Amino acid sequence: MIYKLRRNRGPSWFEVTLGAVLSVVLGIVLGGVYLATRPVKKLGEIPKDSPPGAVYFVEGTRGYYDNDSVETKRKAFVSGESVTVDEAELNIISAGPVKPPPPPPPKNTLVQPPPPPPPKEHDETPLNVRIHDGKIQFAVTYTVNENGFNASLVVQARGEFVKNGSTFEFVPDEFYIGCCPLQRLPYLREWLMKKTLFTQPIPEDIVGAWSKLSDVSIEGSKMRLIMP
């Protein structure tokens, strides 16, 4: 009789609580995926009458200077001088060196086409920089192609540089993957920014010069790097 009563007993409070917690977590994850995969409108500027919660992407000016002028500022910064750069110059730096075209095949030879490259799990556009309203914005279009899931996600972070210990670090006020806001989740935010935005290694001479800065400020559409 006691055995039958135990068999007919309903789920325990622990099981009910665990099921509720798992349901909430699953709902949060699915909601985040839904917001992340929603398309982001790319505009020339954010409309003044934009509705609350709307997410837009305004791209920074791409580089129009020649590499020599940018390289001159880079050398001055590494040597310990203060420099001022705008978003166009930053976009030249963030795009990295231009890859030379492959050499032409020898004449009168039969050249087999190279095999297609294996599909990448993810791909991204060069880091784009925009400076506006006293904030600096970093953004990429991050394409995911993994396990049959394919999506292009606009990843953008907007904030300023804050001194942490002896060096300045970028601290975002806003961080979006697609339309999903993640700025209030610091540990997840830092991991995702390294995974999607700041994936390229920084040259050691730039890291060394950056560690010596006394101030980093955004003024108008330019960023000032102040040495002691």
Side-chain angles (χ1 to χ4, degrees):
M1 183 66 177
I2 295 176
Y3 173 72
K4 290 183 178 180
L5 288 174
R6 287 180 177 174
R7 284 191 62 188
N8 293 332
R9 188 183 62 180
S12 67
W13 280 108
F14 173 77
E15 293 169 332
V16 172
T17 303
L18 180 61
V21 170
L22 292 177
S23 297
V24 171
V25 172
L26 180 61
I28 292 174
V29 171
L30 293 177
V33 172
Y34 168 73
L35 289 174
T37 53
R38 285 186 61 189
V40 176
K41 293 182 179 180
K42 296 183 180 182
L43 304 175
E45 61 178 291
I46 297 177
K48 296 180 180 179
D49 57 348
S50 61
V55 180
Y56 302 98
F57 171 50
V58 180
E59 190 176 45
T61 305
R62 294 191 178 276
Y64 54 83
Y65 298 101
D66 57 53
N67 288 329
D68 292 338
S69 62
V70 175
E71 185 63 22
T72 299
K73 287 192 177 183
R74 183 186 184 281
K75 290 179 179 178
F77 177 64
V78 170
S79 65
E81 299 180 27
S82 301
V83 296
T84 300
V85 290
D86 63 19
E87 63 184 43
E89 293 170 312
L90 288 171
N91 281 317
I92 286 180
I93 297 171
S94 65
V98 178
K99 295 181 180 180
K107 294 182 178 180
N108 301 324
T109 58
L110 182 62
V111 179
Q112 296 292 331
K120 297 182 179 180
E121 292 184 354
H122 62 80
D123 197 5
E124 63 189 59
T125 56
L127 184 67
N128 181 260
V129 184
R130 181 175 184 249
I131 300 175
H132 184 69
D133 284 345
K135 304 289 183 180
I136 187 167
Q137 169 188 288
F138 299 98
V140 297
T141 300
Y142 191 85
T143 301
V144 182
N145 185 12
E146 188 174 2
N147 297 326
F149 177 77
N150 187 286
S152 292
L153 313 174
V154 174
V155 182
Q156 52 184 329
R158 193 174 299 106
E160 56 188 352
F161 289 97
V162 177
K163 194 163 189 178
N164 183 10
S166 60
T167 189
F168 285 87
E169 295 181 357
F170 173 68
V171 178
D173 300 323
E174 301 175 55
F175 176 52
Y176 285 88
I177 295 183
C179 294
C180 183
L182 295 165
Q183 61 269 11
R184 295 185 180 181
L185 303 173
Y187 296 106
L188 179 62
R189 177 191 71 196
E190 299 301 323
W191 181 80
L192 286 172
M193 285 198 302
K194 291 178 182 179
K195 190 77 173 177
T196 58
L197 282 176
F198 307 121
T199 59
Q200 297 299 321
I202 303 174
E204 293 184 3
D205 56 352
I206 297 294
V207 173
W210 186 272
S211 66
K212 300 175 184 177
L213 286 170
S214 61
D215 192 23
V216 179
S217 63
I218 304 296
E219 299 177 6
S221 61
K222 298 182 180 181
M223 180 172 71
R224 297 189 65 201
L225 306 177
I226 309 300
M227 287 292 186

